[in-house]
Amino acid sequence: MPGIIGKKIGMTSLFTPDGKNIPCTLIEAGPCVVTQVKTIETDGYTAIQLGYGEKKAKNTTKALAGHFAKAGTTPKRKLVEFRTDEVAQFTAGSEINASLFEEGEFVDVVGTSKGKGFQGVVKRYNFAGVGGQTHGQHNRGRHPGSIGACSWPSRVFKGMRMGGRMGNDRVKVQNLKVMRIVAEKNLIVVSGSIPGARNSFVVLEK
């Protein structure tokens, strides 16, 4: 199985045997349910669809309710598809948990970064601002400065770094070491930080 769905619990730190303090993130990895097995014959490609997190039946569309009933499971909040060629060993309704991973191996974590709303160029692109408060200017300290020429080309070029929506992006952090696994609680501790707020969904990839 190439990955699993999880939930970010929060951050902590662990001490290594040589006394180093390593910042870590606690992730609840699964248990996930196989909700669909896609094969060449039925879908044209091979993949496994996993479901994670409970959802009320009254908030589930009839189409999805039928999908979950076919897999023999309850409605799930998050569905993610993993492309893999090894689909023969999985059946709809089977469970996948944190035992998929081993301590010491490296994983990639995909999450959605925290949304920052509309931000100016100083916060969004680390612009320095205009600078001083003299020579006739007093209220342009966090402005971008000139964004184009005058009568020619008489427009602002595409891609010009300006203020706008920041954050809420899909972010992948690669090569995080699995520091510890608590199998009975489906918890995984990985080194470093991962994108997203607490209780947000993440995808762990091998």
Side-chain angles (χ1 to χ4, degrees), residues 31-33 35 49-79 201:
C32 296
V33 177
T35 51
Q49 186 189 73
L50 295 184
Y52 172 71
E54 294 302 319
K55 183 180 179 183
K56 290 182 178 177
K58 69 171 187 176
N59 296 330
T60 307
T61 62
K62 285 188 177 179
L64 271 179
H67 182 69
F68 292 124
K70 189 177 179 182
T73 183
T74 55
K76 303 297 179 191
R77 288 184 63 195
K78 181 75 173 175
L79 293 175
F201 289 114

Side-chain angles (χ1 to χ4, degrees), residues 109-127:
V109 178
V110 181
T112 303
S113 63
K114 290 180 179 177
K116 307 290 184 183
F118 190 100
Q119 297 295 332
V121 291
V122 172
K123 180 165 183 172
R124 198 178 184 203
Y125 294 112
N126 293 324
F127 278 23

Side-chain angles (χ1 to χ4, degrees), residues 179-195:
M179 305 293 290
R180 191 167 296 173
I181 295 176
V182 186
E184 60 272 18
K185 295 184 178 178
N186 280 308
L187 295 177
I188 292 180
V189 181
V190 298
S191 64
S193 60
I194 65 172

Side-chain angles (χ1 to χ4, degrees), residues 15-20:
F15 281 95
T16 60
D18 56 350
K20 289 183 180 176

Side-chain angles (χ1 to χ4, degrees), residues 1-7 27-36 48-54 68 71-82 90-101 183 185-188 201-204:
M1 190 66 200
I4 196 171
I5 313 169
K7 185 170 71 173
I27 301 172
E28 184 185 82
C32 296
V33 177
V34 177
T35 51
Q36 189 177 7
I48 299 293
Q49 186 189 73
L50 295 184
Y52 172 71
E54 294 302 319
F68 292 124
T73 183
T74 55
K76 303 297 179 191
R77 288 184 63 195
K78 181 75 173 175
L79 293 175
V80 175
E81 186 174 293
F82 295 91
F90 299 101
T91 56
S94 58
E95 187 176 290
I96 295 174
N97 52 37
S99 61
L100 178 71
F101 300 98
K185 295 184 178 178
N186 280 308
L187 295 177
I188 292 180
F201 289 114
V202 294
V203 176
L204 284 81

Side-chain angles (χ1 to χ4, degrees), residues 61-172:
T61 62
K62 285 188 177 179
L64 271 179
H67 182 69
F68 292 124
K70 189 177 179 182
T73 183
T74 55
K76 303 297 179 191
R77 288 184 63 195
K78 181 75 173 175
L79 293 175
V80 175
E81 186 174 293
F82 295 91
R83 297 289 288 265
T84 176
D85 295 328
E86 302 168 354
V87 296
Q89 56 184 308
F90 299 101
T91 56
S94 58
E95 187 176 290
I96 295 174
N97 52 37
S99 61
L100 178 71
F101 300 98
E102 297 176 358
E103 289 186 5
E105 73 174 325
F106 290 86
V107 297
D108 299 339
V109 178
V110 181
T112 303
S113 63
K114 290 180 179 177
K116 307 290 184 183
F118 190 100
Q119 297 295 332
V121 291
V122 172
K123 180 165 183 172
R124 198 178 184 203
Y125 294 112
N126 293 324
F127 278 23
V130 173
Q133 298 290 309
T134 61
H135 296 282
Q137 75 93 15
H138 62 93
N139 59 355
R140 303 192 54 81
R142 297 178 71 89
H143 285 235
S146 174
I147 58 172
C150 186
S151 59
W152 189 88
S154 192
R155 63 189 175 88
V156 177
F157 288 113
K158 284 184 178 178
M160 179 67 63
R161 292 180 297 173
M162 300 173 70
R165 297 284 294 271
M166 182 181 173
N168 201 29
D169 295 319
R170 185 182 191 272
V171 179
K172 176 186 277 192

